[in-house]
Amino acid sequence: MNMSKSPSPHSYPGLKLVLILILGLGIACKETPTNEEAIRPEESRFTQKVVVEGLEEPLQLEFDKSGQVYWIERIGQVKRFNENTGSVELLGKLNLAKAPAPGLIGILLDREFEKSKLLYLFYSAEADKGEAMRLSRFELENDGKLDIATEKIILTIPWEQPDGSHFGGGMTWDNGGNLYLSIGADSHATQYSPLPFTNEGGRGQDEARTAGNTNDLRGTIIRIKPQSDGSYSIPEGNLFAQGSPNTLPEIYIMGNRNPWRVSIDSKTQYLHWGEVGPDAGVDSEELGPMGYDEFNVAKRAGNFGWPYFIGYNRAYKSYDYSTGNYGKAYDPDSSYNDSPNNTGLKILPPAQPALIAYPYQVSEEWPILGSAARSAVGGPIFRKADFSETAERVFPKYFEGKWFVTDYVRNFIMVIEMDEDRSKVTSLERFLPAEMHTHSQPLDMDFSPNGDLYLVEYGIGGSGKISRIEYNAGNRAPIAAASSSAMDGKAPLELQLSSEGSLDLDGDPLTYQWTVKKIDGNTQQTFETANPTSKLEEEGKYEVKLEIADPSGLTSSDSFVVTVGNSKPQVKFKLVEGNQSFYFPDAIIRYEVSVTDPDGSIEKDKVLVTAQYIPSGMGYPQLERLNKQGELNTDTQLKHLNAKALVQKYNCVSCHTETKKLVGPAFQDVALKYRGNPKAYEILTKSIAEGGSGKWGDIAMPPQPTLSSPEISQIIDYILEINIEDATSIRLGSSGKYQTQAYEKKGRGGRLDSYFRTPLEMGSYVFLASYTDGGSNETEGLELSGADYFLLRFPILAPEDADLFSETGISYTPSTNDPGFIFTGKGGYIGFNKIDLTGINQVKIGAPNRFWHWSHFVGATIEIRLGSPDGRLVGEPFTIPAAPKGEKGPFFGEAMGAPAIIDVSEAEGIHDLYIVVKNPAAKGSDALVMMTGIEFIK
């Protein structure tokens, strides 16, 4: 399938890729706007919402004229979402050939769907045993269900299973009723042009047999005109006329490796698509150019070059099949196919260049696209005339004629503007900032009839979604923010209330309505100014609420509770001996907890202190979030918070509860059965990851292949420790010492563990201290609690978890376990706040200059500085050289290059620590080094 373009040898469409974050790559700007079309809409006018989740490998969507959403899931399911009712319907499921056959990969509703109830599906049928792909037409019954018996096979394409991979699957219509279908080249992923072959007939290897073959539909975009009887005709203007020897008339575009989503510009009728290229990260003197992904536009039928050309017609070296040697580069104007597996013409049509081509490294032409793994998808062209006057949320004229494109791995949505001839890109800009994108793994994108931009988010194990981005052209609701000079204190308590931070994005004047009301009482005050003063005479708890409104009546509110008659105690947990940032095996730390209460003395026996170990690790941002949510206290079992969230996310609760049997056993029953069993983790890991039946009855448990090894271990820990008293908390005194331990990990670790091999869990210790006072002598229920927490982490940190990042020079794509954190251009830095270097002698920084077949890194110097990126230099700078030339890889382990090791023994105490990566001689398009992690060594 080769969707992800991840360099991992285990690449598969289920890769759990997350949100791409490209720092410092600016937005291409247009000249000063002079009219409505040139004014870029404010980002705050766009919001992204999840429409449907819990999907299994969703790939492509369609809309009927009423706006109902239809989509396919690769496992064979056709579904529909009715927005009015919020219901998801399974319309039908196809019988598919067994994996690794492609499955159900394409859907297209008939142009007259409301009348005909016909739809087209592209899939690998069970009856074809994975040896063919078929384009078929089906009818929906009166109840809207898919009638499998109505299948009419429009077209059958021979397929080489099981070793085929790239398969395309995009479909669309033009105004003439012609159907376009993208078909992949049915071959293994390669680094360069796959002309040499070792399999018989080039099977799965030689793409001259498919994409370069004028007599083969693989590696093409076909154009046909379906007829009412289930046949099709060939429209005028395809690449080869009917009857031409050694050609197929269905071919509109040839020379494709893996064309993804196809779109027709409704105004020009030009064809647009995204194309996934090969994996090489550097040019080869022997073979030819590095790999590029492409965004392409075709005004007419043509040859787009693969496997002889890539990108802007960059030519590969010719290959002599008789000698196995490479010769001169191919000529785009007169390329030829002399493969013994070719059944078509020898002389090929002239090759057409890509509209946009981008490699793994930073593109000199389009640096905004970043540096990372890549998988160009494509997307729709916005034309306002495509929407009715009643459409609710049509995007503004600024986007007229622009092409919205996305990338499955890099996760961006870019907007491409072209010249009037649609041959040259005049502007490439980010649609929205990366932090506003809540989607991941986009595999299709299109506008709905009411104007929303919908996305299909791929995922397995129920992690797939459909989301949409809405545009609000009108008035926006204001945003309220309420605060007070005091939240508690003795009576009488004077409050200076503040609405600072409240705003109206449209700049409208706001009205303010404050209500201060005693809870369980009749006392109430109201104010209509922005920042009033309130004096509360009676003890008790008060709700303070601010409601703001704009002139059109849209409102927003914010509220909080104030306690009168008592003051909150202040608690401080302090480490007085030991490293303040990291824990080490069998290390002794000393601590003390101090409590002050403005209202009275402290009862020491009421000071609660706990130590909790979290095997999966935890950081200060997560602790701060829990604290704001009121979940951070000495009674909270932090260890299992993430496991419980995973159980909810993957819908395990539909079959299991903690205490009662549902479809599957109660978790407490599982715990009783396996607790103490030395093979518990092995047995339960296999059950969760692979599914199965027989252990608890005949009902099969579905697999959860998207869960990582650490996540599965967290869930197993949670299950096995159900009903164990104080399973995660150790009670401590208000002062004393504590010995930290390092635990052996169960199963495989996460991404960090892939590059910093350790037999230990990379967990965290969280120390919590709390104190609840006696409240008020006069009024019940006014007790207040104060708390503090302290964190010790395992001494290996991930670069993406840094507290500070440079504005330029960093590209990050969290691509499964691949090293996706890359320094680019002249370099950049990351910073960690308050790192204790006491007792630390060395810092080891994983900074490989090659990985898998990525070998395009030019190297850099790495420095450690304190206080700021220009602060005090610690130790000697370490230089990572450029990746050696001529080595083909794959590169793993030590072959990825030596880590940077810097002596920091002279630095003591707590500092803001900066890791600075620089190469003044590098070009803006260069990738310097990857960074896998930072280890602090005693």
Side-chain angles (χ1 to χ4, degrees):
M1 190 171 183
N2 201 34
M3 293 193 305
S4 71
K5 293 308 289 98
S6 164
S8 168
H10 305 295
S11 293
Y12 183 73
L15 292 175
K16 190 174 65 178
L17 307 177
V18 254
L19 183 68
I20 183 170
L21 174 61
I22 299 177
L23 301 172
L25 299 175
I27 292 178
C29 297
K30 302 180 69 177
E31 296 183 8
T32 303
T34 56
N35 53 54
E36 182 183 352
E37 286 82 355
I39 299 174
R40 181 180 174 86
E42 299 165 276
E43 295 160 354
S44 60
R45 292 193 175 277
F46 296 94
T47 56
Q48 187 161 0
K49 300 178 180 179
V50 174
V51 178
V52 184
E53 54 189 339
L55 306 182
E56 184 66 27
E57 297 194 77
L59 292 187
Q60 193 177 14
L61 55 71
E62 278 276 280
F63 306 95
D64 63 22
K65 290 182 179 178
S66 69
Q68 291 191 107
V69 188
Y70 297 73
W71 70 90
I72 55 168
E73 297 177 0
R74 199 170 79 94
I75 59 174
Q77 297 184 145
V78 182
K79 293 183 177 180
R80 175 174 59 202
F81 173 70
N82 187 318
E83 188 171 349
N84 293 328
T85 64
S87 63
V88 174
E89 299 173 81
L90 174 62
L91 304 185
K93 184 171 183 178
L94 301 182
N95 292 322
L96 302 178
K98 294 181 180 179
L104 174 56
I105 62 172
I107 182 173
L108 185 67
L109 300 189
D110 188 68
R111 295 182 76 213
E112 302 295 329
F113 176 74
E114 277 66 29
K115 295 180 180 178
S116 69
K117 299 301 179 185
L118 299 175
L119 54 81
Y120 297 80
L121 299 175
F122 187 50
Y123 73 108
S124 50
E126 181 182 40
D128 297 328
K129 301 179 181 179
E131 297 174 353
M133 296 294 299
R134 60 170 68 169
L135 173 64
S136 290
R137 193 187 73 187
F138 294 83
E139 295 181 24
L140 296 186
E141 300 172 336
N142 292 333
D143 61 358
K145 301 297 183 181
L146 190 69
D147 188 347
I148 302 296
T150 63
E151 178 180 15
K152 288 189 177 294
I153 301 174
I154 308 296
L155 184 67
T156 299
I157 302 164
W159 202 258
E160 294 172 354
Q161 194 267 352
D163 53 10
S165 54
H166 311 101
F167 46 70
M171 287 197 279
T172 192
W173 298 103
D174 66 15
N175 285 352
N178 299 313
L179 183 154
Y180 296 75
L181 167 65
S182 67
I183 306 168
D186 186 20
S187 289
H188 297 311
T190 57
Q191 306 307 306
Y192 297 92
S193 176
L195 296 178
F197 63 93
T198 56
N199 290 342
E200 182 180 354
R203 180 185 177 95
Q205 295 179 337
D206 176 19
E207 289 187 57
R209 86 200 193 288
T210 56
N213 187 347
T214 63
N215 199 31
D216 197 299
L217 293 184
R218 293 170 294 178
T220 72
I221 301 173
I222 66 170
R223 183 176 70 155
I224 59 175
K225 189 164 188 174
Q227 304 297 308
S228 58
D229 61 358
S231 64
Y232 64 87
S233 61
I234 303 297
E236 292 291 329
N238 277 5
L239 190 55
F240 306 109
Q242 292 193 69
S244 298
N246 302 319
T247 67
L248 294 178
E250 294 89 350
I251 297 173
Y252 184 69
I253 301 296
M254 68 171 291
N256 300 118
R257 183 176 182 269
N258 193 21
W260 269 115
R261 299 302 168 229
V262 290
S263 301
I264 290 288
D265 181 350
S266 63
K267 180 178 179 180
T268 65
Q269 292 299 288
Y270 296 160
L271 177 67
H272 299 60
W273 73 96
E275 179 132 5
V276 182
D279 293 342
V282 293
D283 294 337
S284 166
E285 290 186 8
E286 178 188 15
L287 307 175
M290 69 181 77
Y292 294 83
D293 275 22
E294 302 174 0
F295 293 115
N296 289 310
V297 175
K299 304 177 188 178
R300 61 190 66 85
N303 172 21
F304 276 72
W306 182 259
Y308 305 102
F309 309 93
I310 193 70
Y312 304 123
N313 272 351
R314 296 199 64 194
Y316 289 103
K317 298 292 183 67
S318 59
Y319 182 72
D320 189 323
Y321 288 92
S322 62
T323 66
N325 296 324
Y326 288 89
K328 293 182 180 180
Y330 288 100
D331 181 349
D333 293 327
S334 58
S335 59
Y336 56 91
N337 183 344
D338 61 350
S339 168
N341 306 310
N342 178 32
T343 61
L345 301 175
K346 299 289 186 182
I347 304 301
L348 302 179
Q352 307 300 311
L355 178 74
I356 288 177
Y358 60 104
Y360 281 135
Q361 62 194 55
V362 178
S363 165
E364 291 188 42
E365 183 182 25
W366 307 114
I368 190 173
L369 297 176
S371 173
R374 57 183 205 274
S375 186
V377 173
I381 302 89
F382 177 77
R383 295 288 183 184
K384 199 150 190 174
D386 294 342
F387 305 92
S388 71
E389 293 183 358
T390 59
E392 299 175 23
R393 294 185 288 265
V394 179
F395 281 25
K397 291 182 180 179
Y398 174 82
F399 296 111
E400 181 64 25
K402 297 179 181 180
W403 184 16
F404 285 72
V405 298
T406 188
D407 183 298
Y408 169 77
V409 179
R410 300 193 184 184
N411 207 53
F412 58 59
I413 299 178
M414 297 288 172
V415 181
I416 300 173
E417 182 176 18
M418 289 166 266
D419 60 6
E420 188 173 348
D421 190 49
R422 314 292 284 183
S423 299
K424 180 181 178 182
V425 176
T426 58
S427 172
L428 176 62
E429 62 185 0
R430 193 180 299 282
F431 170 45
L432 293 173
E435 60 269 19
M436 288 187 66
H437 291 310
T438 60
H439 62 266
S440 64
Q441 298 179 247
L443 265 188
D444 194 15
M445 182 171 65
D446 203 358
F447 287 103
S448 70
N450 73 343
D452 297 330
L453 183 63
Y454 273 73
L455 293 101
V456 172
E457 303 180 42
Y458 181 82
I460 63 177
S463 61
K465 300 176 185 176
I466 292 177
S467 60
R468 69 170 179 246
I469 298 175
E470 301 175 356
Y471 173 67
N472 179 3
N475 185 42
R476 288 163 287 182
I479 301 170
S483 61
S484 172
S485 59
M487 300 297 289
D488 52 68
K490 292 183 177 181
L493 182 63
E494 187 170 287
L495 307 178
Q496 178 60 58
L497 303 179
S498 173
S499 62
E500 184 178 355
S502 300
L503 76 155
D504 187 279
L505 295 170
D506 302 308
D508 294 332
L510 297 172
T511 58
Y512 303 85
Q513 180 72 42
W514 289 90
T515 304
V516 182
K517 183 179 181 180
K518 189 176 183 182
I519 299 174
D520 298 328
N522 297 320
T523 303
Q524 180 169 313
Q525 301 174 4
T526 58
F527 309 95
E528 294 183 355
T529 57
N531 305 302
T533 299
S534 171
K535 189 172 183 179
L536 303 176
E537 303 282 354
E538 300 178 23
E539 288 191 355
K541 290 185 177 291
Y542 293 79
E543 181 190 41
V544 180
K545 181 178 180 180
L546 167 65
E547 183 172 88
I548 60 175
D550 69 7
S552 68
L554 291 180
T555 64
S556 175
S557 65
D558 190 21
S559 63
F560 53 86
V561 174
V562 172
T563 301
V564 180
N566 188 20
S567 299
K568 183 178 179 179
Q570 302 300 310
V571 178
K572 179 64 178 175
F573 185 100
K574 183 180 180 181
L575 217 61
V576 295
E577 182 182 322
N579 191 281
Q580 309 254 334
S581 298
F582 307 110
Y583 73 89
F584 296 91
D586 303 319
I588 299 294
I589 64 167
R590 295 185 183 275
Y591 69 93
E592 60 183 30
V593 176
S594 60
V595 182
T596 57
D597 188 347
D599 299 330
S601 59
I602 305 300
E603 299 178 54
K604 287 190 175 181
D605 61 340
K606 294 176 65 176
V607 179
L608 301 179
V609 184
T610 62
Q612 294 195 43
Y613 172 72
I614 297 92
S616 58
M618 187 168 283
Y620 274 112
Q622 188 176 358
L623 288 171
E624 290 165 2
R625 197 160 53 245
L626 291 169
N627 194 34
K628 288 180 180 178
Q629 295 168 351
E631 296 183 35
L632 193 61
N633 55 66
T634 50
D635 295 324
T636 302
Q637 292 191 353
L638 300 175
K639 179 177 180 179
H640 298 318
L641 285 179
N642 196 48
K644 291 179 179 179
L646 291 169
V647 166
Q648 290 286 337
K649 177 180 178 181
Y650 290 97
N651 204 29
C652 304
V653 292
S654 64
C655 296
H656 305 276
T657 71
E658 287 194 355
T659 59
K660 294 181 180 180
K661 181 183 184 299
L662 293 180
V663 178
F667 286 151
Q668 67 177 13
D669 293 334
V670 177
L672 289 172
K673 180 174 181 176
Y674 290 104
R675 192 180 293 149
N677 185 333
K679 293 188 176 181
Y681 278 86
E682 178 184 341
I683 296 169
L684 294 176
T685 295
K686 183 177 178 66
S687 294
I688 294 172
E690 302 176 10
S693 63
K695 297 183 181 71
W696 299 92
D698 296 329
I699 298 176
M701 176 178 173
Q704 297 289 353
T706 54
L707 286 167
S708 67
S709 293
E711 289 172 335
I712 290 175
S713 293
Q714 291 169 39
I715 292 174
I716 295 172
D717 281 337
Y718 157 56
I719 293 172
L720 295 182
E721 292 185 0
I722 284 175
N723 294 344
I724 295 180
E725 292 292 330
D726 294 325
T728 60
S729 298
I730 298 173
R731 297 283 180 176
L732 303 176
S734 58
S735 64
K737 64 181 181 180
Y738 183 82
Q739 185 174 23
T740 57
Q741 300 180 50
Y743 295 89
E744 289 188 7
K745 68 172 179 279
K746 309 175 185 77
R748 288 195 58 187
R751 193 183 69 81
L752 268 177
D753 186 62
S754 298
Y755 307 103
F756 287 79
R757 292 301 174 90
T758 168
L760 304 176
E761 292 175 336
M762 298 186 188
S764 297
Y765 277 94
V766 176
F767 298 89
L768 291 171
S770 67
Y771 178 78
T772 301
D773 64 18
S776 167
N777 293 328
E778 300 180 9
T779 307
E780 293 184 356
L782 298 187
E783 295 82 5
L784 291 174
S785 297
D788 192 23
Y789 52 88
F790 198 89
L791 174 70
L792 292 178
R793 293 178 282 183
F794 191 79
I796 299 180
L797 303 179
E800 61 268 24
D801 291 336
D803 301 303
L804 300 160
F805 302 86
S806 57
E807 292 185 359
T808 59
I810 294 175
S811 173
Y812 175 50
T813 304
S815 176
T816 317
N817 281 340
D818 297 340
F821 199 95
I822 301 172
F823 286 87
T824 63
K826 304 293 182 182
Y829 64 81
I830 59 175
F832 294 91
N833 292 334
K834 297 180 179 179
I835 295 296
D836 189 359
L837 294 177
T838 303
I840 304 297
N841 290 309
Q842 292 180 330
V843 175
K844 175 182 172 183
I845 302 169
N849 58 7
R850 50 205 183 276
F851 172 74
W852 185 221
H853 288 277
W854 297 2
S855 56
H856 57 283
F857 298 91
V858 302
T861 297
I862 299 178
E863 301 173 343
I864 291 181
R865 293 183 177 271
L866 304 182
S868 74
D870 301 316
R872 173 189 163 194
L873 181 68
V874 178
E876 295 293 327
F878 192 101
T879 298
I880 301 291
K885 301 297 181 184
E887 295 185 8
K888 296 181 179 179
F891 306 107
F892 294 108
E894 293 182 0
M896 294 168 61
I901 299 178
I902 297 177
D903 187 331
V904 297
S905 58
E906 294 184 2
E908 290 286 329
I910 298 174
H911 305 271
D912 292 342
L913 185 144
Y914 288 81
I915 298 174
V916 182
V917 180
K918 60 176 69 171
N919 185 341
K923 298 181 296 184
S925 60
D926 283 334
L928 306 183
V929 294
M930 296 166 277
M931 187 171 288
T932 55
I934 305 99
E935 181 176 10
F936 296 81
I937 303 171
K938 293 181 73 173

